[in-house]
Amino acid sequence: MATDAGTPGTAIPRFPDGFLWGVSTSAHQIEGAADEREASVWDAFTAEPGRVKDGSTAAVACDHYHRYREDVALLAGLGVDAYRFSVSWPRVNSPGGLDFYDRLVDELCAAGVRPVPTLFHWDLPARLDWLERDTAARFAEYVSVVAGRLGDRVTRWITLNEPAEHTLLGHALGVHAPGRQLLFDALPVAHHQLLAHGLAVRALRAAGAGDIGIANSHGPIWPASPEQADVEAADFYDVLLNRLFAEPLLLGEYPSGLGELMPGGAAGVESDLEIIAEPVDWYGINYYAPTRVGAPQGTEIRFGGLTLPAELPFSVREIEGRPVTDFGWPVVPEGLTELLTGFRDRYGERLPPVFITENGCSYEGLEDQDRIAYLDGHIRALHRALAAGVDVRGYFVWSLLDNFEWAEGYARRFGLVHVDYRTLVRTPKASYAWFRDVLRAQR
Ligand code: FCB
């Protein structure tokens, strides 16, 4: 059977000159050195028994805080153009915290790897709360401080990582920090993060930054059947995952009906939407897999390691006939082409150039041929989107290192580089050598 994944090993088609190749990580998942910064909501959440599957914490994680030189050497060896990492707001609030990012950025620049920081990747200072509108203003202040210190060397910035997941998993379902189960009452968290994004864009511009984007998670939503009830449920899920976070930014409006549910109501959010829609230079997409959605089935839903409550107005169904990763996520490379062409068709000229800011998979083992097949298939699918006329400018693999995968603890390994959590020894996997060779062939 011809598969969409192509044949790993046959040359990947050429991407345009200047296409940016990179890898991603985030602060809480790799840095460790938790005792050298103030607490984040994730420290508090992790300390509650039963929250993280293997009972682990990110107190040490990959100890990147102390081993960043070794990690930058791994980036240089890989030959990436850029490295997407996140700045920890709790660390910046702590004495000497900003010095760490200063050293990291210097080390990256010296190695010829372009730093691409994300300013918020879920590790909110424990004393703050996204249910509070004021957190957006606090975020902009923090962003100004970071930009003031790093802006002479950092030219490309990412405001937020996946506000959708942080809202949904952290505040609606309670399976991520801060562990709230507010269901639809979590919507203010989405609005305040979007507002924080807009204020951060303004703060970055005021600091002279010219190349700003966001990393939103998106995926195609497939109705479970052509029945009207399934199609309606899938449309609703599409609003929650995709449109709720794309449209305020790209169109300056919430999908119909949602503005009314935001704090202040439709009229109240009008002026916020002006801030939220502050133009970005590019739009970042994290893509992992499509989701198949149908009408509610009146029972709890098990999905990608989650248990969702029965009262949701949709149910998530299995995508059959596909290989799955160790996380149970289906491998669907052509979903990436579909997503990108779909976004282009939906938003047309309003969609700025796109970067894939995350894409990857969890598999065990150093001889990770399954990861190679996953990445190979997705890079080809990306190329097909380019050939179909979508303006994609870069691709970042999640992740450089195995790391603390949130509520899954250390059980999921997404890295091109294996980390032994006992000795902290890094060992490049087969996929590291494969990606290095892909990049060499593109030069
Ligand atoms: C994304 C997150 C990232 C990592 C990957 C697997 O949703 O942004 O931190 O957990 O999933």
Side-chain angles (χ1 to χ4, degrees), residues 127-411:
R127 56 195 161 84
L128 296 178
D129 185 343
W130 282 118
L131 279 172
E132 303 293 332
R133 180 184 174 84
D134 190 49
T135 301
R138 298 285 81 77
F139 181 64
E141 288 165 12
Y142 143 79
V143 167
S144 298
V145 170
V146 178
R149 181 73 175 268
L150 306 181
D152 55 338
R153 286 149 293 156
V154 169
T155 54
R156 177 164 290 141
W157 297 89
I158 299 177
T159 55
L160 308 180
N161 179 70
E162 299 191 355
E165 267 64 20
H166 193 56
T167 305
L168 187 76
L169 303 179
H171 298 78
L173 302 173
V175 293
H176 274 190
R180 290 204 177 101
Q181 287 184 314
L182 299 172
L183 296 180
F184 289 97
D185 291 338
L187 282 174
V189 170
H191 184 68
H192 295 151
Q193 286 180 91
L194 288 165
L195 182 62
H197 158 81
L199 291 172
V201 174
R202 289 188 173 175
L204 287 167
R205 296 255 186 262
D211 204 353
I212 306 169
I214 187 168
N216 264 339
S217 78
H218 291 298
I221 310 303
W222 293 348
S225 84
E227 299 286 328
Q228 194 186 342
D230 286 336
V231 172
E232 280 173 5
D235 283 348
F236 181 75
Y237 193 89
D238 185 38
V239 167
L240 282 188
L241 178 74
N242 293 317
R243 297 180 48 202
L244 173 59
F245 295 90
E247 296 187 4
L249 260 88
L250 300 177
L251 309 180
E253 61 193 29
Y254 277 118
S256 140
L258 281 183
E260 287 84 328
L261 301 178
M262 293 302 178
V269 295
E270 202 58 25
S271 56
D272 288 349
L273 281 165
E274 237 171 76
I275 300 171
I276 294 169
E278 195 67 46
V280 284
D281 300 288
W282 52 275
Y283 191 82
I285 293 182
N286 296 353
Y287 171 75
Y288 288 92
T291 313
R292 191 163 160 256
V293 175
Q297 292 177 308
T299 50
E300 281 189 342
I301 307 158
R302 295 199 181 278
F303 162 54
L306 300 176
T307 303
L308 311 184
E311 64 260 40
L312 291 173
F314 54 80
S315 59
V316 180
R317 314 284 178 84
E318 206 174 311
I319 293 180
E320 282 151 12
R322 297 291 186 151
V324 289
T325 69
D326 284 353
F327 218 141
W329 298 353
V331 179
V332 188
E334 74 274 23
L336 181 56
T337 322
E338 180 188 328
L339 175 72
L340 292 170
T341 54
F343 254 64
R344 191 263 326 270
D345 295 346
R346 198 180 255 180
Y347 301 120
E349 295 290 300
R350 309 291 287 270
L351 182 67
V354 169
F355 283 75
I356 301 303
T357 33
E358 282 181 28
N359 176 237
C361 49
S362 65
Y363 288 113
E364 290 293 318
L366 290 173
E367 281 305 319
D368 52 346
Q369 297 305 322
D370 25 25
R371 187 178 336 273
I372 293 174
Y374 180 101
L375 296 176
D376 181 283
H378 284 77
I379 293 172
R380 288 171 198 274
L382 184 61
H383 196 272
R384 276 192 285 281
L386 257 97
V390 185
D391 186 1
V392 189
R393 304 276 177 94
Y395 173 85
F396 290 72
V397 172
W398 182 271
S399 180
L400 172 67
L401 302 172
D402 290 342
N403 58 51
F404 178 76
E405 177 49 36
W406 310 114
E408 299 285 318
Y410 296 102

